[in-house]
Amino acid sequence: MARNRGRLDDLAKRLTDETGRRIEVVAADLNDKLDLGRIEKLLRTDAGITLLVNNAGVGATAPLLDSDVDKMDQMIALNVGALTRLTYAVAPGFVARGAARSSTSLRSSVLCRKS
């Protein structure tokens, strides 16, 4: 799942060609509440999903004092809020299927450095 459908389709084709596995592509913008809700529903209801890798995220592009607080809020919503919501959506099904260790979070970070 990602925002860029074309890149996802290319990756899915390559993975299918290399592994023979079936890949379902889902395009979504996790900053969009409707898209996030759609993905949460998919994770809650699709028993065929056996792994979730939370890798969505963005980082700050300016020093803290030069940053727009609203942009920082959006970053936190994506990096923390979406990750948490997707994990909550998928966890009950994983536990029910005995796959409780099948969620991985690759964390995004905000780096503050002295200029």
Side-chain angles (χ1 to χ4, degrees):
M1 173 189 46
R3 288 175 297 201
N4 187 314
R5 178 71 188 221
R7 288 176 54 193
L8 287 173
D9 288 337
D10 291 344
L11 177 61
K13 182 181 180 335
R14 191 181 94 220
L15 290 173
T16 298
D17 291 346
E18 292 175 7
T19 68
R21 293 191 180 264
R22 183 181 69 83
I23 308 291
E24 180 180 348
V25 171
V26 180
D29 179 350
L30 298 180
N31 279 314
D32 180 295
K33 289 194 182 286
L34 291 176
D35 275 2
L36 180 59
R38 182 171 51 91
I39 300 305
E40 286 179 88
K41 181 178 178 184
L42 176 68
L43 292 173
R44 280 193 304 271
T45 60
D46 188 337
I49 296 172
T50 57
L51 175 70
L52 172 65
V53 177
N54 280 311
N55 192 33
V58 294
T61 59
L64 181 64
L65 297 178
D66 295 335
S67 296
D68 178 322
V69 71
D70 292 325
K71 294 289 185 193
M72 293 295 276
D73 196 37
Q74 289 175 342
M75 180 182 71
I76 292 166
L78 177 62
N79 294 357
V80 179
L83 178 145
T84 301
R85 294 184 70 88
L86 296 183
T87 301
Y88 267 79
V90 81
F94 281 1
V95 171
R97 295 189 299 276
R101 294 191 178 119
S102 297
S103 179
T104 302
S105 297
L106 304 177
R107 298 183 188 159
S108 301
S109 299
V110 175
L111 300 176
C112 300
R113 63 183 149 110
K114 191 174 180 179
S115 298

